[in-house]
Amino acid sequence: MARTWSCSGLRWTPEGPALVWDGGRRSALSRGKRVAFAVPDGSGRHCVGARGHACPVRAAVPERSTGARCEECARLDRAHSVAADTLADDPRPYRVHLAWFGPGMVKVGITAVERGPARLLEQGAVCFSWLGTGPLMAARRAEELLRAALGVPDRIPYADKRAVRAVLPATEDERAAEVRQLHARAVALAGWPEALTPEPCRPVDHVRGFGLADAPAASGAVVRLVAGGAVGGRLVAAAGPDLHLTVAGRGPVVLDTRLMTGWELVPLPPADDVLTLPVREFRREQDGLF
């Protein structure tokens, strides 16, 4: 019987993206690399636990869930996160950023200074700029200020991000335009937290780092993993948690690696491309009336 592997998710490092497996092993994901695995027949998806601890009941979780946690473990994990505002006394400095994912899609967010741009890579930001640096609560107030005064969201659904990757503006200047405009409006707002030091607008573009500049447009996205299903293809791009894989006989597809967590997986030997997982096809706008 083939050895099974449990995926902990995709991590972005200075060298690029890598799949992380339980136990600490990493698989670097260079473009052109073959990604191929199968879900054993009769298997199921189970909760990955929280805060480094296994789920005490090994609860079953939905196949479509991107969190792969049961209700209790999800609550425990969130209770100790910055996003839940339960770490008000965190002494680390934080940065506020503006992240752009496509036309009309700009969000505000925060990340610990020590993490550098990793959070932006994990979110699939096509372009971003730092906005300010300071204590956690000052960064939070800046987030709230931008939401209230300028209507800037702090979340953008991944489905929306994927939908625009095929129609991104061609140049870095075009992709940075909305970030520059919003940055100027943000630092001019009354009520800017005194403890937050504004930073100049210096847009960073990830299109080439993600591989999107030369990758063919994806035609669909894997909806979920299923027992007995498999996928095998070549990596042409990676953005956030998403792998863009070319599969012979159809256009490239997007695999959200968050769907892999909670499953026991087996590697596939080098062979023909395969895709036996449910896929949602992307809608294409018609060029004319007919």
Side-chain angles (χ1 to χ4, degrees), residues 4-290:
T4 61
W5 294 84
S6 297
C7 183
S8 300
L10 184 69
R11 299 289 183 273
W12 282 87
T13 72
E15 292 74 37
L19 284 174
V20 182
W21 307 95
D22 286 1
R25 178 180 173 183
R26 297 193 174 204
S27 300
L29 294 171
S30 56
R31 281 192 284 280
K33 183 171 184 175
R34 181 171 173 79
V35 176
F37 63 85
V39 184
D41 285 321
S43 61
R45 193 182 191 197
H46 297 92
C47 176
V48 296
R51 316 304 298 176
H53 300 284
C55 177
V57 296
R58 203 166 178 262
V61 292
E63 295 170 348
R64 292 175 180 265
S65 167
T66 55
R69 288 187 173 92
C70 66
E71 184 176 342
E72 181 60 23
C73 287
R75 183 197 62 76
L76 178 62
D77 188 70
R78 183 169 176 80
H80 292 82
S81 72
V82 172
D85 280 337
T86 57
L87 302 176
D89 58 348
D90 188 338
R92 296 176 299 171
Y94 278 79
R95 271 177 159 170
V96 184
H97 59 257
L98 296 174
W100 184 87
F101 301 90
M105 294 185 185
V106 187
K107 68 175 281 292
V108 61
I110 69 172
T111 185
V113 169
E114 65 190 35
R115 294 208 66 207
R119 184 64 180 148
L120 285 305
L121 293 165
E122 291 167 358
Q123 293 180 350
V126 173
C127 174
F128 83 93
S129 176
W130 302 119
L131 185 59
T133 303
L136 174 58
M137 288 298 100
R140 277 290 183 224
R141 287 195 295 274
E143 262 193 324
E144 291 295 338
L145 179 63
L146 265 66
R147 282 200 292 265
L150 302 179
V152 184
D154 63 349
R155 298 177 188 275
I156 293 179
Y158 277 98
D160 295 346
K161 299 175 188 179
R162 297 180 188 116
V164 298
R165 284 183 194 149
V167 293
L168 295 174
T171 69
E172 290 189 13
D173 283 344
E174 290 175 294
R175 295 191 289 269
E178 289 185 69
V179 170
R180 293 185 189 278
Q181 294 167 7
L182 187 57
H183 189 286
R185 296 176 64 196
V187 296
L189 287 172
W192 182 270
E194 291 184 5
L196 195 73
T197 303
E199 295 199 29
C201 186
R202 292 175 180 153
V204 177
D205 194 273
H206 287 151
V207 164
R208 293 200 175 277
F210 286 158
L212 297 173
D214 304 314
S219 61
V222 172
V223 174
R224 64 186 189 278
L225 271 61
V226 294
V231 61
R234 297 286 175 183
L235 181 68
V236 294
D242 295 342
L243 303 182
H244 291 229
L245 305 175
T246 56
V247 180
R250 58 160 302 136
V253 295
V254 177
L255 172 64
D256 185 339
T257 53
R258 296 175 300 171
L259 297 173
M260 296 169 61
T261 57
W263 288 98
E264 296 292 321
L265 306 174
V266 294
L268 292 178
D272 294 338
D273 290 358
V274 61
L275 180 60
T276 56
L277 299 173
V279 173
R280 176 181 61 82
E281 302 295 337
F282 292 153
R283 295 177 59 185
R284 301 296 183 193
E285 297 296 330
Q286 292 185 343
D287 294 328
L289 294 178
F290 305 100

